[in-house]
Amino acid sequence: MQGDSGGAEARWERLAPGVVRRRLPGWDATVGAIAGEGGVLVVDTGSSLHEGVEIRREVQELFGPPVTHIALTHPHFDHVLGTAAFAGVQVYGAVGAADLLRRDRDELRHDAVRHGVAPDVAAEAVELLVLPHHPVSGELTVDLGGEVRVLLANVGPGHTAHDLAVLVAVPGGPEVVFCGDVVEESGEPQAGPDALPHAWPAALDRLLALGGDDAVYVPGHGAVVDAEFVRRQRDALAERFGVS
């Protein structure tokens, strides 16, 4: 990491060279950042414009260049409402996520308020919400310069109908997989009204096929886990929802 990182250094966990993540307060949601020679990609943006501004500032402290790309793992308030804090970036999401966010702005705001976001804070973030510019229907590679290429993979449906995983392998480090809420460590995986339980185990099978046994898996909430944890969660979800 470059520059004087100050307090940001203590809040961000280093996963591999140029790859970090932070667990945000409140809902323990993960945000990540991946730096290459030509750009920085942020994974998810928090639950408010304030969180988005803080993420943007801290990532620039850690790496130097401004954020150039954002990948949204799924369209829930605690992962997308900070996106408007990043001016001029390229935003990626699973195919259909942009249409959902455009159509269901009121529900997004209500969901944020139900979970404790102040009404005025939620309203501002939803009003300024930036929708994904680039829909990912299969797999898409983002070149961040040097030897850093990030794979965006539409692994859903599962936790939602629009689940996107972010995979990166950098020289000198393990492959890192940002899972979104398809994987959760700090509690039982949450299956809300927009979940597709029958498809969730298959989404985890796809995730494991992409990352493999030696990858570091970063849940949407909670501590970093390994492939064996993901397999156990896959089997528990299959039993919970009565699918194979």
Side-chain angles (χ1 to χ4, degrees):
M1 297 180 193
Q2 303 171 355
D4 178 11
S5 57
E9 180 77 33
R11 287 188 287 272
W12 290 78
E13 177 183 359
R14 186 178 184 271
L15 305 175
V19 184
V20 297
R21 75 88 174 244
R22 181 181 170 190
R23 294 167 69 170
L24 295 173
W27 298 275
D28 191 27
T30 284
V31 293
I34 302 162
E37 293 180 4
V40 179
L41 182 144
V42 161
V43 182
D44 290 341
T45 60
S47 62
S48 68
L49 289 174
H50 172 76
E51 283 192 340
V53 168
E54 186 172 72
I55 294 161
R56 183 193 68 200
R57 175 180 56 79
E58 291 189 346
V59 169
Q60 191 161 1
E61 280 185 30
L62 292 171
F63 294 122
V67 174
T68 53
H69 303 76
I70 287 172
L72 300 176
T73 62
H74 63 289
H76 283 169
F77 82 93
D78 50 333
H79 297 262
V80 305
L81 286 187
T83 308
F86 298 83
V89 303
Q90 298 300 304
V91 183
Y92 298 78
V95 65
D99 290 339
L100 176 72
L101 290 168
R102 183 183 298 109
R103 183 176 66 246
D104 291 348
R105 286 176 183 264
D106 285 344
E107 178 55 33
L108 186 68
R109 175 172 55 82
H110 290 150
D111 193 39
V113 172
R114 278 197 301 269
H115 284 85
V117 178
D120 59 333
V121 171
E124 179 187 34
V126 170
E127 181 181 357
L128 299 175
L129 184 65
V130 176
L131 305 178
H133 311 119
H134 304 285
V136 181
S137 59
E139 298 177 5
L140 185 152
T141 300
V142 177
D143 189 345
L144 295 180
E147 298 182 69
V148 181
R149 291 171 179 79
V150 180
L151 178 68
L152 309 181
N154 187 333
V155 296
H159 176 68
T160 73
H162 312 289
D163 293 319
L164 189 73
V166 179
L167 296 83
V168 60
V170 297
E175 184 165 32
V176 178
V177 184
F178 290 92
C179 306
D181 288 5
V182 173
V183 178
E184 296 191 43
E185 185 276 336
S186 54
E188 186 173 277
Q190 297 300 300
D194 58 344
L196 290 93
H198 67 282
W200 201 331
L204 290 175
D205 288 337
R206 288 190 287 275
L207 193 70
L208 287 163
L210 287 166
D213 285 344
D214 298 325
V216 170
Y217 292 86
V218 187
H221 301 264
V224 169
V225 300
D226 58 13
E228 184 55 35
F229 178 95
V230 178
R231 287 192 188 91
R232 291 197 305 269
Q233 192 155 99
R234 183 254 181 237
D235 292 343
L237 285 167
E239 183 176 358
R240 175 179 165 189
F241 298 127
V243 295
S244 59

